[in-house]
Amino acid sequence: MNIGEIARRAGVSRSTVSYALSGKRVVSEETRQRIQAVIDELDYRPNAAARALKEGRTRTLGLVIPPASLRLTDMQLGFVASVVEAAARVDLDVLLSPSGGDHDRSFERIVSGRRVDGVILMEIRLEDERVTRLQQTGLPFVTIGHTAHPQGTCWVDVDYATLIARCVHHLADLGHRHIALINRSAELVAAGYGPAQRALTGFTEAVAQRGLTGVDMCCADDAPGGESCLEQLREQHPEVTAIATINEAALPGIQRALERAGVAVPRDMSIAGVAARHWAEDFRPPLTAADVPTEMGNHAVDLLLERIATPDAPPRHLLLTPPISLRSTTGPAPTR
């Protein structure tokens, strides 16, 4: 049960419920009693946000995003939007701050300037100095993604290793023996970016388990990168009949390159991957994929509010493994 459901049943707005719980603004006694009646009926327990607001904090959460010079992918934008929306539902503001490169001072102001009550950190590397810095400050934080050794931290992530392995097994079941992984950019892979590293691990293990020939390729996170990568793949590895990918931003370019080469999907080439749902549905034909949950930001906010309210509680994490939606881009391996 959440604030939205209470608001609907009480016939008031979400913000009114939030004000009644937090005491931030005056709510009429009649309205307060109506809200309380619904709360009692549903046995609702106000979440950490309401408790934190009563304690006079900044009412602001920090969201640390990739550098402004890098265009966010749709998946990343989805995380940002869901964090902002989840915070707004409990009457909290979100302060965005880039990190990395020339933005280290901005990150340092967030963690040491008492501007926020807690931090959500995106785009986690296996070895991430930002996580170490946050642990040193004692500021409550949650990561979207997790390090190689996440003990003692709160995090939410997608199980990229398992999902890419499932894609490989699905393609192998269809008879494909030569499969390529189109990963994220070479820079992210070299930097130890968690999803890219774990996708590679899952791919390598599944290929070995099924006795397949696997090719892993890095690809820039944009449409031109997808075009170039697909052309290179076909030139250097013409035996490949199937692709697994986590690079959703490259999908339009991959599609253009396939169409230009006269390669029919899935007759000549099968594709499966992990992507935001709208990327998968916009692909032609629609992409067989594990749809990245849009509520990851919501989970991150919930975990962070728990940390703010009860900092001594054992840390929790969520590892999400959405099902693969079988759409139209995978089929039997072509006979050659």
Side-chain angles (χ1 to χ4, degrees):
M1 189 55 57
N2 56 37
I3 285 179
E5 180 64 15
I6 294 171
R8 187 184 68 80
R9 295 196 181 202
V12 298
S13 67
R14 289 180 174 182
S15 59
T16 299
V17 176
S18 178
Y19 297 149
L21 290 173
S22 67
K24 181 181 176 183
R25 295 186 185 178
V26 176
V27 175
S28 72
E29 183 62 22
E30 177 186 355
T31 300
R32 191 195 65 77
Q33 290 181 0
R34 191 159 73 247
I35 292 171
Q36 188 61 51
V38 173
I39 289 172
D40 293 342
E41 177 187 351
L42 300 175
D43 194 28
Y44 175 77
R45 296 291 180 267
N47 65 16
R51 293 192 293 272
L53 285 169
K54 287 183 178 180
E55 294 171 9
R57 296 192 173 100
T58 67
R59 303 188 184 94
T60 302
L61 307 180
L63 176 59
V64 180
I65 61 176
S69 59
L70 301 179
R71 186 174 62 185
L72 298 184
T73 68
D74 265 44
M75 192 182 299
Q76 293 166 339
L77 288 171
F79 295 160
V80 172
S82 62
V83 166
V84 171
E85 183 178 346
R89 284 200 293 267
V90 289
D91 200 32
L92 295 174
D93 295 324
V94 176
L95 176 62
L96 298 182
S97 175
S99 70
D102 297 330
H103 300 285
D104 288 341
R105 286 181 296 178
S106 176
F107 174 69
E108 188 60 30
R109 285 195 295 270
I110 283 285
V111 301
S112 61
R114 300 184 181 274
R115 297 182 175 191
V116 298
D117 298 325
V119 171
I120 295 172
L121 188 63
M122 291 175 52
E123 302 299 283
I124 303 302
R125 299 180 177 91
L126 296 183
E127 302 294 335
D128 202 308
E129 295 179 353
R130 301 169 303 169
V131 173
T132 303
R133 177 69 180 116
L134 283 165
Q135 289 175 314
Q136 292 171 345
T137 66
L139 184 67
F141 73 95
V142 171
T143 60
I144 298 180
H146 64 292
T147 64
H149 305 287
Q151 297 84 356
T153 62
C154 288
W155 52 270
V156 57
D157 203 356
V158 170
D159 192 348
Y160 286 95
T162 294
L163 293 176
I164 282 295
R166 287 180 180 175
C167 289
V168 171
H169 289 304
H170 170 58
L171 294 166
D173 290 343
L174 292 169
H176 295 277
R177 308 298 299 169
H178 300 274
I179 302 175
L181 170 67
I182 295 183
N183 208 332
R184 299 290 296 277
S185 71
E187 293 79 9
L188 286 175
V189 173
Y193 177 58
Q197 292 288 341
R198 293 188 173 99
L200 179 58
T201 296
F203 177 78
T204 302
E205 292 177 352
V207 163
Q209 184 179 348
R210 298 299 293 264
L212 309 175
T213 299
V215 176
D216 62 272
M217 302 189 69
C218 294
C219 178
D221 295 336
D222 54 31
E227 288 188 73
S228 175
C229 184
L230 197 284
E231 291 169 355
Q232 181 181 353
L233 174 64
R234 296 192 66 247
E235 179 181 345
Q236 297 179 0
H237 302 280
E239 73 281 4
V240 167
T241 61
I243 294 168
T245 185
I246 65 167
N247 196 329
E248 61 175 22
L251 286 173
I254 292 172
Q255 180 175 320
R256 286 201 294 267
L258 289 168
E259 292 173 348
R260 187 167 57 247
V263 177
V265 177
R267 186 193 67 197
D268 305 320
M269 182 75 74
S270 287
I271 308 176
V274 183
R277 181 174 180 177
H278 86 86
W279 276 115
E281 293 180 341
D282 287 347
F283 199 82
R284 289 295 175 266
L287 182 71
T288 290
D291 301 336
V292 175
T294 57
E295 67 271 16
M296 283 185 67
N298 297 28
H299 292 315
V301 170
D302 289 343
L303 288 174
L304 181 56
L305 295 178
E306 289 180 12
R307 294 301 285 170
I308 293 170
T310 54
D312 295 328
R316 294 200 304 121
H317 67 266
L318 294 170
L319 185 61
L320 306 176
T321 311
I324 293 178
S325 298
L326 299 177
R327 297 186 176 98
S328 305
T329 54
T330 53
T335 55
R336 295 181 175 177

